[in-house]
Amino acid sequence: MSVQFYGWEVTYDDDSPLVELGASQEPKDRGVYTMYHGTSVANAQIIIANGFQQSSGGMLGKGVYVSRDKKKADRYPLKNLPSDRVSLELHVCVGRVKRIDKDNHPMQYTWSSQGYDTAWVPPNCGMKAVPSGLEEDCVFDPKRVKVVGIARAPDNVLKDLQQLVANSLKNPTGGDGGAASHGGGAVDVCSLCNRKTQQGSPHIKQSCWGCGQNICTLMTRHVCRVSN
């Protein structure tokens, strides 16, 4: 008998490992974490289809700029209207992490050439380049970053973007390579519920019969937009 899912919220009372951290917690080397990236509608479509491209520069040099603080991603692009802002939900294999917590840090632009995969700027560290005080990360290799969902988007494009993500997860290309398996030592992680999986035992994934979004039966929360 098949089961149709609509929407729910649960709390786990076991020790099942979640690969999530608060914005103020330092990411552990080789972990896989949920992060967010703010971009335009047009760029979101390109990223979902082809994966991220390394930026040419920034406050931490080349890389993909992301944050575990959704509020940070929701502000970008800064000059765009809210009707042209999309926050992508990501799984990021951080690899080896370097903390950058002050202006003119000696490794602010050179961390990637000294054996680190990700630079982490903690919240409220006082860096002038981060006036918002919100947490920020720069991942040097775009293949460590995988789009797994849409955290925020204008209503008129939300369903289309969700479908693009669903298609990309069903038919992965060479775009992002799958962040959860990058680097050899990273854990296997369900791309939807963000919980660790046992080797050879993937989680059951189905579509919500209301909104059609791909969901995992172990997700702690699913809000069906059709029902609200």
Side-chain angles (χ1 to χ4, degrees):
M1 180 182 70
S2 62
V3 179
Q4 292 182 322
F5 291 92
Y6 196 75
W8 70 87
E9 183 168 8
V10 300
T11 300
Y12 286 97
D13 59 2
D14 58 13
D15 294 325
S16 300
L18 281 170
V19 284
E20 296 180 0
L21 289 177
S24 61
Q25 294 176 272
E26 185 166 2
K28 296 181 180 179
D29 287 353
R30 304 172 72 86
V32 180
Y33 300 106
T34 297
M35 299 192 188
Y36 304 92
H37 176 83
T39 188
S40 66
V41 172
N43 283 343
Q45 295 170 335
I46 295 172
I47 291 169
I48 295 168
N50 303 311
F52 280 94
Q53 296 293 318
Q54 191 182 63
S55 69
S56 59
M59 63 169 286
L60 297 168
K62 295 181 179 180
V64 178
Y65 284 79
V66 296
S67 177
R68 277 178 283 130
D69 194 328
K70 183 177 174 295
K71 295 191 297 291
K72 175 89 171 184
D74 287 346
R75 300 171 68 242
Y76 285 84
L78 292 174
K79 296 182 179 180
N80 288 34
L81 295 173
S83 59
D84 191 30
R85 289 178 183 169
V86 175
S87 294
L88 300 174
E89 182 179 348
L90 317 168
H91 281 174
V92 180
C93 178
V94 296
R96 191 176 179 214
V97 181
K98 179 61 182 178
R99 178 186 177 116
I100 306 292
D101 56 5
K102 62 181 180 180
D103 290 317
N104 302 314
H105 190 287
M107 292 179 63
Q108 184 169 345
Y109 301 105
T110 62
W111 52 271
S112 61
S113 64
Q114 299 189 46
Y116 292 94
D117 302 297
T118 299
W120 175 58
V121 177
N124 302 313
C125 65
M127 291 185 70
K128 294 179 181 178
V130 193
S132 67
L134 299 175
E135 185 261 9
E136 187 161 352
D137 305 79
C138 181
V139 184
F140 186 74
D141 185 355
K143 291 183 179 179
R144 290 183 172 273
V145 185
K146 179 178 182 179
V147 180
V148 297
I150 305 298
R152 179 180 180 273
D155 290 339
N156 63 319
V157 297
L158 178 61
K159 285 189 177 181
D160 289 340
L161 292 176
Q162 288 175 332
Q163 188 59 54
L164 284 176
V165 172
N167 292 341
S168 71
L169 294 175
K170 289 179 181 178
N171 304 294
T173 64
D176 55 38
S181 60
H182 196 292
V187 297
D188 290 329
V189 177
C190 174
S191 62
L192 297 178
C193 74
N194 202 32
R195 301 175 73 85
K196 293 181 182 179
T197 62
Q198 294 182 348
Q199 188 174 7
S201 300
H203 291 175
I204 297 173
K205 300 174 184 178
Q206 298 191 22
S207 297
C208 172
W209 68 269
C211 64
Q213 180 180 340
N214 275 359
I215 54 179
C216 172
T217 56
L218 295 181
M219 289 167 58
T220 56
R221 187 170 184 260
H222 170 61
V223 177
C224 178
R225 296 180 180 273
V226 173
S227 66
N228 293 335

